[in-house]
Amino acid sequence: MERLIPEYEDCLYKATFAQLQDPADSPDAVQLTFIKYHQSALDFQDPEHIRRWLFCTVLNQVRDICRAFWRRSRAELDNAA
């Protein structure tokens, strides 16, 4: 785990930021992905399997964030006034 975070954190952040365009939500998705990895009891076969799992999981986190009610219901301050 200590090796994975520095190795993949930047790439995962870039992938989430490209989708979300939000510097506040992107680190949350990455953090939740590493938490899920730590809690998983999966038997990863090789480093490539870990990499694919991390990217698949982080993109699922992005979809969950986009579907969240508070994100869809947000209004711009200029439009609200």
Side-chain angles (χ1 to χ4, degrees), residues 2-71:
E2 292 175 7
R3 178 185 59 81
L4 289 179
I5 292 175
E7 185 175 345
Y8 291 108
E9 183 177 29
D10 191 47
C11 295
L12 293 174
Y13 176 81
K14 288 177 184 177
T16 59
F17 187 77
Q19 296 290 317
L20 295 172
Q21 297 294 312
D22 188 350
D25 288 338
S26 296
D28 293 341
V30 173
Q31 183 180 24
L32 288 171
T33 299
F34 283 120
I35 290 170
K36 284 186 176 187
Y37 174 80
H38 182 68
Q39 292 174 342
S40 73
L42 299 174
D43 184 26
F44 295 102
Q45 299 156 355
D46 57 19
E48 182 62 25
H49 185 209
I50 294 170
R51 181 183 170 281
R52 283 181 284 161
W53 186 91
L54 288 171
F55 276 94
C56 182
T57 304
V58 83
L59 292 177
N60 287 337
Q61 290 295 325
V62 166
R63 287 185 200 107
D64 290 345
I65 289 171
C66 288
R67 284 188 289 226
F69 174 78
W70 60 269
R71 185 173 173 93

